[in-house]
Amino acid sequence: MYLDELNKEQREAVLYNQGPLLILAGAGSGKTRTIIYRVAHLIKQGVSPYEILVMTFTNKAANEMKDRVKSILDVKYPGMWIGTFHSICLRILQQESIHIGYRTPFTIYSTSNQETVIRRAIKDLNLDQNKFKPKMFTTAINQAKNNLDSYDKYLDSKNPYDRTIGEVYQYYQKELKKNNAMDFGDLIMNTVILLRENKKVLERYQDKFKHILIDEYQDTNKAQYRLVNMLTQRNKNICVVGDDDQSIYGWRGADLSNILDFENDFRDVKIIRLEQNYRSTENILKAANSVIHNNSYRKSKELWTDKGEGTRVHLYEANDEESEAYFVLKTIKELNITKGFEWKDIAILYRTHAQSRPIEDAFLYHNLPYKIYGGTRFYDRKEIQDILSYANLIVNPHDNTRLQRIINVPRRGIGERTFERLSNYANENGISYYEAIEETGKIETLSSTYKNKIRDFRALIEDLEEFERNNSVDEVINQIAELSGYKDDLSELKKKNNVEAETRLENIAELVNVASTFAARNPDAGLKEFLSSIALETDVDSYEEEDESVTLMTLHAAKGLEFRVVFIVGLEEGLFPSLKFDNNNEEDEMEEERRLCYVGMTRAEDELYLTYAKSRRQYGEMKYNMPSRFISEIPEECLDQINIMDKAGAVTKEYVKVVESNNPYTVGDKVEHKKLGIGVILEINEDIIKVDFLQSGTRMLATEFAPLRLIKDTEIVDSIRNVTPEPLAREKEQEDNGYSIGDVVEHDHFGIGEVKSLDGEFITIDFNKAGSKMLSIAFTKLRKV
DNA sequence: GGTTGCGACGTTTTT
DNA sequence: CGTCGCAACC
């Protein structure tokens, strides 16, 4: 019986099924499990799946829930509405499109499309481009939509700056309407407007959804709050799950008061607290609890665990960001060797993306596999946006923004002047650009050469439209890349050894993959459906737990995940907590930084490392930051201060020496190799050691990959057993490793260099920039030049 | 129509 | 220190 798999509070939350319910679920307290079982239980009790609505913030969460509900109930199609706020709203808007004055299918504008429209607005409204940056407006408009504010409110403002925002907002909104497009904010706001202005529609949905569940309720903004509130007014079976201590998106419009005031919004609210943490050890939990206790704007809650004390939270002071990176690297290697943690068990979390760089450098140099999440998103990449613009144009040719984007990409001789003549004609006649293209003959300002070029473009789009009717989504995407000349263009560049072009081709291939997966899963869906599905998709959705690599990500991106070992780096005043506070709500923002720290700390299951650097390069300038206040908020008895003086501090440029000083081995140490048995270290050269093995003679080994462990003298007697040294696979390469002295080679990290000497699988190269290095061929990516 | 160089800028970003 | 956008060049 599935109820037996729950603790007392979780069970209570599953069984309580009449009226408003607030589940305050601390980090690692089995939140998702509770929601899923609650849904399953409702259905087992006879509630129809069609009467249940579950809203989440990420596709990942939605998919996970869908899958788990399906497996508990053992059905193929769950029937209930489970999705992100945005996808649920999209679904409603598409069904009710007659009420909202949009044609179906409307398109969805991503952040980059948004910016394109804003740029045009700034130009057309003759605003000073030095004073007004597009980002200011996108931020303001998104925020306005989160708060359900229309542009009228801004236009009526006494503040001239707000009036300018109003003007741009108005222009932008009209432009979107003209293009039959909505941005992310519109999806929510327009749904609220739809329900507010159509009583019949509202009542239909209120009737339909007898039970509504909201995940991560602390992250809802005002618009989302209104939406939920309207939908639930009839049945009041609203269950919200969240943790006020994990609200970290305030700057994006999330309104913490939604969860804090929930009990005042409804009558007879039942509150259940899930406070048993199944993730972290006592020390980690105690440290995290102590930090969050310094916040005043929160509900009382105290997490506990029965996992046992565990090790203390490790604290390390580095000299600078490079030695911080090397501490992380070295510690990870040690954890792997001594405690058997795998790469995928480990995550490194930081406040800003820029901090990943020194860590990447260190990992790259030492071939420690890692994966970075965030940064430029896959769907934001230029080539992906370009291809998708073509695809969108096939579905909706009147999308001016996207047409403008690709009409000359790749170059086909339709330059700025030509386009201007075309767009002028369109504007004068009040038609879309594509309609103007259909009337090219009538545009008198164009010479026949350019008319023909435009006709060619039109023919291209028509060919693609035709192709789309008879082929699968992935074939269409591929055809776009082919017919548009995009592929040829990149292939040409690739021939010239352009690495970037190669990546772009790979990205396009990946997009075709995504499309074919979609086509396989949704056999009845077409291009239209594919486009709206990926418009709401993000990179986080592709996070793979199985990956054999260390995870690098921002603290924000880590929410909802867990790792056996967590490093939080850069715990310095000014960096974390970040130093950019508004004067008005300084305290609010500090509390949000603290919650972010809490989120980071509670990701850790077994080991938590906190590091800070005494000095750090920020924006090219040397900064000397104080250790973060969050460190001093941790009780000393939970901390294990690592008091290694950083010998390497003075020579940070010389990675080599840092590693040497951090190398766990010294000459004379006895080691045990998984295959080669016991040996003694004869020499140490960077991270390569020469070991004399009892049974197989001397060998060079790369410390970070050789399956080695240090052994004490007393162990030796026990350990000498029959080790039959198997020749390593690499040994065969020794005969001819493909390189000879004098070869010029290129290394991903060090650049160009010349081969100086060869010693088995080891190769010494004199790099033009990085100097002389000894590297293991098996683990080094080298190219002959 | 495409390249180059200079200056401005610089959190976090579930959709 | 990097990146990116734009203006001035070829």
Side-chain angles (χ1 to χ4, degrees):
Chain A
M1 175 57 180
Y2 57 92
L3 287 177
D4 299 338
E5 294 165 35
L6 302 168
N7 69 28
K8 185 172 154 282
E9 292 78 21
Q10 291 171 338
R11 201 176 311 130
E12 198 184 354
V14 167
L15 295 175
Y16 187 89
N17 60 12
Q18 283 299 322
L21 171 64
L22 166 62
I23 305 173
L24 283 171
S29 65
K31 180 193 68 168
T32 312
R33 160 181 288 233
T34 306
I35 300 181
I36 290 162
Y37 281 43
R38 188 181 157 81
V39 169
H41 186 70
L42 284 171
I43 293 171
K44 290 219 166 158
Q45 280 202 315
V47 177
S48 158
Y50 297 94
E51 298 172 341
I52 299 174
L53 169 67
V54 185
M55 290 206 268
T56 66
F57 276 83
T58 64
N59 294 304
K60 190 173 179 263
N63 291 335
E64 191 187 338
M65 286 187 195
K66 238 180 264 175
D67 289 346
R68 283 174 62 178
V69 169
K70 274 191 275 186
S71 80
I72 290 180
L73 296 174
D74 200 22
V75 290
K76 274 212 176 98
Y77 178 68
M80 70 210 86
W81 285 36
I82 297 186
T84 62
F85 271 91
H86 292 84
S87 68
I88 297 286
C89 286
L90 176 64
R91 198 165 160 183
I92 294 177
L93 288 171
Q94 279 171 343
Q95 285 183 6
E96 311 298 333
S97 58
I98 34 163
H99 300 290
I100 56 169
Y102 269 81
R103 282 163 286 145
T104 314
F106 52 82
T107 30
I108 296 170
Y109 272 10
S110 68
T111 321
S112 70
N113 299 321
Q114 248 184 324
E115 265 191 47
T116 312
V117 179
I118 297 287
R119 275 211 187 84
R120 207 157 60 221
I122 294 174
K123 257 184 209 148
D124 287 2
L125 296 170
N126 289 318
L127 297 174
D128 183 352
Q129 298 199 25
N130 295 321
K131 233 170 97 191
F132 298 102
K133 289 160 289 163
K135 199 119 187 243
M136 288 162 37
F137 294 111
T138 47
T139 311
I141 290 170
N142 292 338
Q143 203 71 275
K145 289 179 180 177
N146 288 340
N147 290 321
L148 297 172
D149 291 330
S150 73
Y151 48 77
D152 291 328
K153 190 186 162 189
Y154 286 85
L155 289 171
D156 295 342
S157 167
K158 289 197 175 67
N159 179 337
Y161 176 69
D162 281 351
R163 281 203 301 277
T164 310
I165 289 175
E167 277 179 57
V168 175
Y169 186 2
Q170 184 178 32
Y171 178 106
Y172 172 83
Q173 214 54 13
K174 293 195 164 156
E175 199 64 19
L176 254 59
K177 190 77 187 284
K178 222 161 72 185
N179 288 274
N180 204 33
M182 289 194 202
D183 64 20
F184 292 137
D186 285 331
L187 291 175
I188 314 283
M189 186 171 77
N190 287 337
T191 307
V192 171
I193 294 172
L194 165 83
L195 297 178
R196 200 164 55 198
E197 292 175 1
N198 297 275
K199 206 160 174 264
K200 285 254 164 67
V201 178
L202 172 65
E203 281 172 358
R204 209 162 70 238
Y205 285 99
Q206 282 178 335
D207 259 359
K208 173 176 169 57
F209 298 126
K210 304 248 174 352
H211 287 271
I212 298 178
L213 292 93
I214 314 291
D215 188 21
E216 307 275 16
Y217 192 65
Q218 77 281 355
D219 288 332
T220 49
N221 60 36
K222 198 176 160 189
Q224 289 157 336
Y225 170 84
R226 283 281 300 160
L227 177 72
V228 172
N229 213 284
M230 283 163 101
L231 286 175
T232 196
Q233 276 313 316
R234 176 157 299 191
N235 291 297
K236 300 211 166 57
N237 286 325
I238 168 90
C239 167
V240 303
V241 189
D243 180 1
D244 46 314
D245 289 333
Q246 292 189 67
S247 164
I248 54 174
Y249 288 103
W251 50 274
R252 260 187 73 166
D255 189 352
L256 193 47
S257 60
N258 287 348
I259 192 165
L260 295 179
D261 294 340
F262 184 79
E263 36 190 321
N264 305 320
D265 290 335
F266 294 92
R267 240 181 257 162
D268 302 323
V269 170
K270 170 82 178 169
I271 301 178
I272 295 172
R273 289 184 160 78
L274 304 183
E275 294 175 303
Q276 180 174 3
N277 172 296
Y278 294 95
R279 183 184 294 153
S280 315
T281 61
E282 258 168 51
N283 267 317
I284 293 171
L285 219 48
K286 199 167 156 194
N289 278 336
S290 307
V291 170
I292 201 68
H293 259 283
N294 291 280
N295 275 5
S296 51
Y297 195 47
R298 65 187 289 258
K299 293 211 178 249
S300 69
K301 185 160 26 71
E302 198 75 19
L303 291 186
W304 61 278
T305 178
D306 59 11
K307 262 189 86 170
E309 205 177 5
T311 52
R312 294 192 196 183
V313 174
H314 314 275
L315 177 66
Y316 181 74
E317 176 189 84
N319 275 339
D320 56 29
E321 72 273 22
E322 282 176 353
S323 64
E324 182 182 56
Y326 274 87
F327 167 75
V328 173
L329 174 85
K330 180 202 133 209
T331 310
I332 289 175
K333 287 203 276 180
E334 276 175 9
L335 284 169
N336 174 246
I337 294 167
T338 61
K339 296 194 178 174
F341 289 108
E342 294 177 54
W343 306 141
K344 68 168 159 55
D345 296 330
I346 301 169
I348 298 148
L349 311 180
Y350 35 75
R351 181 66 237 267
T352 64
H353 284 301
Q355 287 168 261
S356 70
R357 200 186 192 86
I359 297 169
E360 269 187 89
D361 281 349
F363 285 16
L364 214 53
Y365 178 43
H366 289 272
N367 288 307
L368 187 69
Y370 66 91
K371 207 162 181 189
I372 293 198
Y373 293 87
T376 9
R377 291 168 30 181
F378 180 73
Y379 291 106
D380 279 346
R381 299 201 132 91
K382 189 186 174 303
E383 58 278 14
I384 302 300
Q385 284 286 324
D386 286 341
I387 300 291
L388 290 179
S389 291
Y390 277 98
N392 273 288
L393 213 55
I394 296 171
V395 174
N396 172 23
H398 306 297
D399 186 338
N400 288 349
T401 313
R402 289 194 170 103
L403 185 143
Q404 184 173 2
R405 182 185 177 111
I406 47 89
I407 190 166
N408 201 30
V409 177
R411 316 247 168 223
R412 49 175 74 89
I414 305 177
E416 223 168 300
R417 304 284 315 161
T418 310
F419 183 76
E420 206 178 294
R421 286 170 183 148
L422 178 76
S423 64
N424 281 342
Y425 179 85
N427 293 336
E428 280 159 21
N429 293 284
I431 54 176
S432 71
Y433 297 160
Y434 194 76
E435 283 164 323
I437 284 174
E438 288 176 324
E439 301 178 9
T440 310
K442 294 192 200 158
I443 308 176
E444 286 159 5
T445 46
L446 285 173
S447 71
S448 64
T449 327
Y450 291 104
K451 280 182 182 167
N452 283 334
K453 288 184 174 174
I454 291 175
R455 285 192 185 110
D456 287 348
F457 175 73
R458 181 186 170 186
L460 167 67
I461 299 299
E462 282 174 352
D463 285 352
L464 289 171
E465 278 171 348
E466 171 65 29
F467 189 86
E468 195 265 331
R469 265 172 242 138
N470 309 311
N471 292 281
S472 66
V473 182
D474 50 318
E475 286 165 331
V476 175
I477 298 292
N478 189 50
Q479 186 76 349
I480 290 171
E482 298 276 355
L483 280 191
S484 66
Y486 214 101
K487 257 193 185 171
D488 289 346
D489 218 51
L490 287 174
S491 305
E492 276 304 306
L493 279 171
K494 189 183 160 185
K495 271 187 212 143
K496 292 184 207 156
N497 257 338
N498 187 323
V499 188
E500 204 184 301
E502 200 173 336
T503 327
R504 292 196 165 168
L505 280 168
E506 283 165 13
N507 287 336
I508 292 172
E510 177 57 28
L511 184 65
V512 174
N513 276 340
V514 172
S516 93
T517 311
F518 176 87
R521 280 200 199 141
N522 310 278
D524 303 325
L527 188 62
K528 186 180 88 185
E529 286 77 18
F530 174 64
L531 291 173
S532 58
S533 103
I534 60 169
L536 300 176
E537 197 148 307
T538 60
D539 283 7
V540 190
D541 303 330
S542 64
Y543 176 80
E544 289 161 43
E545 276 166 33
E546 303 312 315
D547 244 30
E548 269 308 322
S549 45
V550 175
T551 301
L552 272 68
M553 55 168 63
T554 61
L555 286 147
H556 281 91
K559 200 173 94 173
L561 303 175
E562 60 185 12
F563 300 91
R564 294 189 65 194
V565 182
V566 167
F567 289 81
I568 302 178
V569 299
L571 272 153
E572 294 143 42
E573 285 293 307
L575 184 62
F576 189 31
S578 173
L579 198 68
K580 255 193 170 173
F581 301 121
D582 288 346
N583 298 333
N584 332 349
N585 32 1
E586 195 172 302
E587 205 40 53
D588 282 4
E589 299 197 16
M590 183 52 80
E591 294 208 347
E592 182 151 316
E593 293 285 311
R594 191 172 281 111
R595 290 193 292 269
L596 189 56
C597 185
Y598 176 78
V599 167
M601 293 173 79
T602 52
R603 297 310 96 197
E605 296 174 32
D606 300 324
E607 304 285 341
L608 175 60
Y609 287 84
L610 307 177
T611 69
Y612 62 95
K614 286 192 277 189
S615 67
R616 174 184 303 273
R617 246 173 209 294
Q618 279 173 288
Y619 306 135
E621 240 181 304
M622 198 57 100
K623 294 274 173 63
Y624 299 89
N625 300 322
M626 298 288 291
S628 171
R629 68 191 69 190
F630 303 144
I631 292 171
S632 57
E633 291 168 3
I634 299 171
E636 238 169 70
E637 72 262 24
C638 300
L639 279 177
D640 155 40
Q641 183 105 29
I642 302 171
N643 282 322
I644 307 167
M645 284 312 289
D646 206 326
K647 293 173 208 157
V651 284
T652 46
K653 284 286 155 240
E654 293 285 320
Y655 293 155
V656 175
K657 294 189 180 150
V658 181
V659 171
E660 207 166 56
S661 74
N662 283 338
N663 197 315
Y665 307 104
T666 43
V667 173
D669 276 351
K670 278 135 197 125
V671 290
E672 184 184 11
H673 186 282
K674 255 191 185 161
K675 289 190 174 146
L676 303 167
I678 306 285
V680 180
I681 298 178
L682 297 179
E683 278 172 40
I684 299 181
N685 184 351
E686 304 188 13
D687 48 346
I688 290 162
I689 57 176
K690 193 171 183 179
V691 183
D692 187 9
F693 288 100
L694 289 176
Q695 316 213 346
S696 53
T698 9
R699 255 177 195 284
M700 302 274 242
L701 297 164
T703 51
E704 71 249 64
F705 285 103
L708 278 179
R709 72 179 187 96
L710 271 172
I711 52 174
K712 297 187 200 107
D713 288 84
T714 47
E715 285 181 62
I716 293 187
V717 183
D718 296 340
S719 309
I720 298 181
R721 42 187 181 254
N722 283 336
V723 184
T724 329
E726 288 173 40
L728 292 175
R730 280 183 260 152
E731 203 173 25
K732 287 175 188 136
E733 293 165 31
Q734 231 165 292
E735 293 159 9
D736 177 20
N737 60 29
Y739 297 96
S740 39
I741 292 169
D743 280 354
V744 178
V745 292
E746 190 179 2
H747 183 273
D748 279 350
H749 192 58
F750 298 129
I752 307 283
E754 193 188 325
V755 177
K756 285 289 167 200
S757 69
L758 295 158
D759 180 2
E761 64 174 296
F762 293 96
I763 183 168
T764 307
I765 302 163
D766 195 3
F767 289 103
N768 296 346
K769 285 187 183 149
S772 177
K773 305 276 173 198
M774 187 193 253
L775 301 163
S776 156
I777 292 171
F779 294 111
T780 311
K781 280 181 199 154
L782 284 176
R783 268 192 307 278
K784 278 200 200 178
V785 181

